[in-house]
Amino acid sequence: MSAERATERDRQNLTPGELGKRGLVAVAVAAAVNAGVTLAADLAGVAPGFDPLSVGPVVFFTAVGVAGAAITYALLDRALADADRAFVVVAAVVLVVSWVPDFTYAPTLPGATTAGVALLALLHLTAAVVAVAVLTDRYTPL
């Protein structure tokens, strides 16, 4: 895969408004999905007392991460001929890197359980999947 510079003809050329709309939808959907999973886990007693699995931090960090993904996608869309392909690669790398503290640091926190740490990693995966699905050309607005 080559990272060719985009020409005017090759670029997807999403308008700032379209990029903003996709970014907001991605943040809202990812935050809602992760909040729902977190609430279900709390009701099931997966990791009581494990602060990273509280709704507030989950929604906040999901929103920050997906907003960062939207900015990254916007920059790639402006610079590369195949922004979607590049974004999928970047998202995959960032996802794997985001799992490092999940499996190295999170287990040392008070209230951590194996299921809680696994669920934390799953929340990163859901945010990444939503970001890729909504930000790339796979998204069709209603």
Side-chain angles (χ1 to χ4, degrees):
M1 173 177 79
S2 68
E4 298 173 12
R5 297 275 311 151
T7 65
E8 287 304 315
R9 185 179 55 125
D10 292 335
R11 282 192 192 130
Q12 192 171 342
N13 270 340
L14 293 173
T15 66
E18 179 64 21
L19 285 166
K21 181 169 66 172
R22 288 185 187 195
L24 288 174
V25 169
V27 167
V29 170
V33 168
N34 280 354
V37 170
T38 302
L39 287 171
D42 189 40
L43 290 173
V46 170
F50 186 42
D51 287 342
L53 281 183
S54 302
V55 174
V58 166
V59 169
F60 175 76
F61 286 110
T62 298
V64 169
V66 176
I71 292 166
T72 300
Y73 183 76
L75 294 171
L76 291 171
D77 182 60
R78 297 289 180 242
L80 300 177
D82 193 352
D84 287 356
R85 178 178 292 179
F87 182 70
V88 169
V89 171
V90 169
V93 169
V94 170
L95 174 62
V96 170
V97 170
S98 80
W99 283 335
V100 171
D102 287 354
F103 295 112
T104 58
Y105 174 67
T108 67
L109 296 174
T113 63
T114 301
V117 170
L119 186 61
L120 193 59
L122 175 68
L123 296 176
H124 291 185
L125 177 63
T126 59
V129 168
V130 168
V132 169
V134 174
L135 295 171
T136 64
D137 66 4
R138 290 155 184 78
Y139 173 66
T140 306
L142 300 175

